[in-house]
Amino acid sequence: MSVSLPDAHSSTFHRPAVRLSRRNLRLLKRSESDSLVDLLEEAPQAKARAHKWKRVHRRTVVAVDALILAVVAMVAHIVAAPQVASSDGAAGMNPAQASVLSVVLAIGWLVALEAQRSRDISLIGIGAEEYRRVIFATFWVFGIFAVTAVLLDVSVPRAQVSVVLGLGLVALVIGRHCIRKRLARRRLRGEFITRVVVFGNPESARVLCRSFGRSTDTGYRVVGACIPDFVGEIGDELDTPSGRIPILGDGRTVTNAMDLTSADALAVAAGEHLGQTKMKKLLWQLESAGTDLIVMPGVTDVAGPRVQMRPIDNLPLFHIAPPRQDGPSAISKRLFDMVLSTAALICAAPILLLAACAIKLDDGGPIIFRQERVGHHGRPFRIFKLRTMSVNADARKELERHSANDSGVFFKSACDSRVTRVGRFLRATSIDELPQLLNVLGGSMSVVGPRPLVPGEGESVEDFVQRRGLVKPGITGLWQISGRSDLSEDERIRLDHSYVDNWSCVLDLLIVWRTARAVLRREGAY
């Protein structure tokens, strides 16, 4: 059964909350709430499985870290052995002391990784925070080690320390990456899942479900929702982008719903309905039960570096900094574009030559396609691409859109009859985009950014063209690593806004790296 819920802020809701209990499962089984019955019946086993996989995963991470550091310490000791053994070397240590140094560094490193909470379960599979903490712990260890060596006037083998630092850091990051990949594969099979109950109005609950559903690597699975001021039958279902979820009551039944579903976390998207006092008490109750609390802020799609917690009078407040798109940030992005586009053009020259010959032999038309696009701050520019369509493609665009019955903001069809035989291959491999490196060198485009729009495209979406005009359009971007042309229009718009709001050099490097994988897979390219 699914229901259409009224406005969550309506004051007409006054029906007392219905409390769930395992004793009324027999009544539920006679109703249409089969999904709720299954949920409650599997809850005790799910809680036990969650405790087990978290314990096993943590032990695995510790064991991998220890093994990596042990191997690195042995390699460093072997590399530094000639320096240590030389009687006139600058090391000032005998082999036994060098061995002790390796052991001390490895143990200190393990302690630092724990102190930085790099093995926190809440970080698993979520962004780059885990890697950042590994790197931070590493520099803490070697910073303390360097200061200690200076203060005690101890001469240490430089080769040994250099190998431990460089090799150890790279090996630890690779080790964590492999663990995350393995965990992601298991989560795709429905294992190692964190069960979540959502508390919020229907729209907020849908937003959370959509985000959790898109980020399968995080392992969150929404098992139910509590809707403020909800009136209806327990077990009614709410339609969400990731499927239907049972409604477990209103704000007065949150604790009861958590107990009965044995959920591992509560995601709150409507904290104002509880108030400060109730939120604090709820947090205490969840802490005592070993359950996590996730709070969704009112502002979405803003990345961590822009958000800072600044408590005022013990009141935790989120301060959101404006995106940095000028000054040093703009200079670093321009340098990145110049270096990468120059290197890419040199490497791609033979490919461009072969593609040009293929286009000319195919239909004898021009090789380069030029078109006016909207650029930085709305300034028009001419984009360069290898021609992949017939010569009269622009004149046939509206006819093609009509035949495809497409009235959306963007138009791109996998069955577009205007695409030539050679063009389909060039599009599938993204070779047709390579001439845009000349646009990057000229300054009208960037390597990474929102795709440039045709004049008039996207103007029906409020604030869309204006916001994406704050950065230069790019050859690749979040579209290209998130599904390319297979993405829905709403998702493309959201990703463009997300890039503009959260741009950074690290994000650009990540997008370039993931673009290479997306191109090789040829998913959504047409």
Side-chain angles (χ1 to χ4, degrees):
M1 181 195 326
S2 64
V3 294
S4 176
L5 295 174
D7 183 4
H9 298 283
S10 172
S11 59
T12 60
F13 293 155
H14 58 271
R15 178 177 173 177
V18 180
R19 292 183 61 83
L20 291 173
S21 68
R22 300 193 188 281
R23 287 164 44 183
N24 64 13
L25 272 175
R26 187 177 304 167
L27 295 176
L28 285 172
K29 288 180 179 178
R30 296 174 185 170
S31 70
E32 299 179 26
S33 306
D34 293 335
S35 61
L36 180 58
V37 174
D38 295 338
L39 172 67
L40 296 180
E41 287 183 335
E42 72 176 9
Q45 294 82 9
K47 193 72 171 180
R49 287 196 299 268
H51 283 303
K52 181 179 179 181
W53 81 254
K54 289 178 181 179
R55 185 171 61 252
V56 170
H57 183 79
R58 180 178 175 79
R59 289 176 180 174
T60 300
V61 176
V62 173
V64 170
D65 287 348
L67 179 61
I68 288 174
L69 294 180
V71 172
V72 168
M74 290 176 60
V75 173
H77 183 67
I78 294 172
V79 170
Q83 183 182 4
V84 174
S86 62
S87 58
D88 57 346
M93 282 189 175
N94 58 45
Q97 291 173 328
S99 299
V100 172
L101 173 63
S102 297
V103 173
V104 170
L105 276 176
I107 294 175
W109 211 337
L110 285 172
V111 173
L113 290 169
E114 184 64 33
Q116 288 296 322
R117 300 180 63 188
S118 69
R119 305 182 185 108
D120 193 332
I121 292 295
S122 63
L123 298 177
I124 302 303
I126 302 177
E129 179 62 19
E130 181 184 5
Y131 301 138
R132 190 193 69 82
R133 295 192 185 187
V134 170
I135 295 171
F136 197 68
T138 298
F139 285 106
W140 259 107
V141 168
F142 283 87
I144 293 173
F145 173 78
V147 171
T148 303
V150 171
L151 292 177
L152 299 180
D153 194 23
V154 177
S155 184
V156 297
R158 294 181 181 178
Q160 184 177 9
V161 176
S162 300
V163 171
V164 171
L165 173 59
L167 184 59
L169 179 57
V170 172
L172 282 174
V173 171
I174 292 175
R176 294 299 182 91
H177 178 73
C178 293
I179 292 174
R180 291 176 70 159
K181 287 296 183 183
R182 174 178 175 271
L183 182 62
R185 287 193 296 269
R186 307 217 32 189
R187 281 174 166 168
L188 284 174
R189 297 198 299 263
E191 305 175 54
F192 291 6
I193 296 298
T194 299
R195 293 155 58 89
V196 181
V197 169
V198 172
F199 173 64
N201 59 53
E203 184 57 35
S204 297
R206 292 187 181 100
V207 170
L208 277 169
C209 290
R210 182 175 64 246
S211 297
F212 289 146
R214 283 197 303 249
S215 305
T216 54
D217 289 355
T218 60
Y220 288 108
R221 174 191 165 200
V222 178
V223 296
C226 290
I227 308 296
D229 304 321
F230 170 69
V231 290
E233 298 297 329
I234 298 298
D236 286 349
E237 293 181 331
L238 177 68
D239 285 321
T240 74
S242 55
R244 292 182 174 181
I245 57 173
I247 299 175
L248 306 175
D250 58 13
R252 291 164 290 181
T253 62
V254 172
T255 307
N256 185 237
M258 295 295 294
D259 291 339
L260 289 169
T261 58
S262 296
D264 307 296
L266 172 67
V268 177
E272 69 277 5
H273 289 274
L274 292 175
Q276 296 182 17
T277 302
K278 289 184 179 179
M279 276 288 290
K280 183 163 58 177
K281 290 183 178 179
L282 178 61
L283 175 61
W284 292 343
Q285 292 174 340
L286 295 176
E287 286 177 352
S288 63
T291 304
D292 295 332
L293 176 64
I294 303 169
V295 180
M296 186 183 83
V299 179
T300 59
D301 286 329
V302 177
R306 288 182 55 199
V307 181
Q308 294 183 353
M309 177 75 75
R310 296 178 184 171
I312 297 178
D313 191 29
N314 293 323
L315 180 65
L317 300 176
F318 286 109
H319 287 244
I320 302 177
R324 302 297 298 272
Q325 295 157 350
D326 53 8
S329 298
I331 295 173
S332 62
K333 187 173 180 66
R334 183 58 182 155
L335 288 174
F336 173 81
D337 288 340
M338 294 291 289
V339 172
L340 191 59
S341 58
T342 301
L345 267 176
I346 294 172
C347 296
I351 299 175
L352 285 169
L353 181 60
L354 291 173
C357 294
I359 294 171
K360 202 67 178 175
L361 291 172
D362 186 33
D363 61 3
I367 296 169
I368 298 295
F369 172 74
R370 300 173 181 85
Q371 187 181 49
E372 187 174 286
R373 297 289 179 97
V374 179
H376 195 205
H377 294 306
R379 290 190 292 267
F381 73 99
R382 295 189 73 80
I383 193 173
F384 301 108
K385 298 181 67 175
L386 291 177
R387 185 175 59 86
T388 59
M389 289 188 174
S390 57
V391 177
N392 62 342
D394 280 345
R396 295 168 50 196
K397 180 176 180 179
E398 292 305 319
L399 178 62
E400 194 72 30
R401 181 193 283 266
H402 178 72
S403 63
N405 195 24
D406 189 326
S407 59
V409 177
F410 314 104
F411 172 65
K412 201 167 186 181
S413 173
C415 302
D416 198 325
S417 62
R418 297 174 299 163
V419 180
T420 64
R421 292 176 301 170
V422 172
R424 293 197 183 279
F425 173 78
L426 296 179
R427 288 189 169 205
T429 55
S430 297
I431 293 174
D432 64 316
E433 310 284 359
L434 291 178
Q436 291 167 47
L437 293 169
L438 297 173
N439 288 110
V440 176
L441 288 175
S444 58
M445 289 182 65
S446 177
V447 172
V448 182
R451 289 296 297 157
L453 298 177
V454 176
E457 192 176 22
E459 290 183 350
S460 60
V461 182
E462 186 178 5
D463 298 324
F464 179 57
V465 176
Q466 294 81 359
R467 289 293 299 172
R468 72 198 315 274
L470 295 176
V471 298
K472 290 181 181 180
I475 298 176
T476 184
L478 291 177
W479 285 17
Q480 283 68 26
I481 64 173
S482 304
R484 306 179 81 175
S485 299
D486 287 337
L487 289 175
S488 66
E489 288 189 351
D490 289 342
E491 187 65 7
R492 294 185 190 187
I493 294 169
R494 186 190 73 83
L495 289 174
D496 277 349
H497 284 313
S498 179
Y499 180 82
V500 173
D501 289 339
N502 303 303
W503 172 85
S504 70
C505 288
V506 174
L507 178 60
D508 278 4
L509 287 170
L510 180 63
I511 289 174
V512 169
W513 171 255
R514 293 181 62 184
T515 297
R517 293 194 304 173
V519 169
L520 291 175
R521 292 175 180 174
R522 301 189 185 184
E523 295 175 355
Y526 44 81

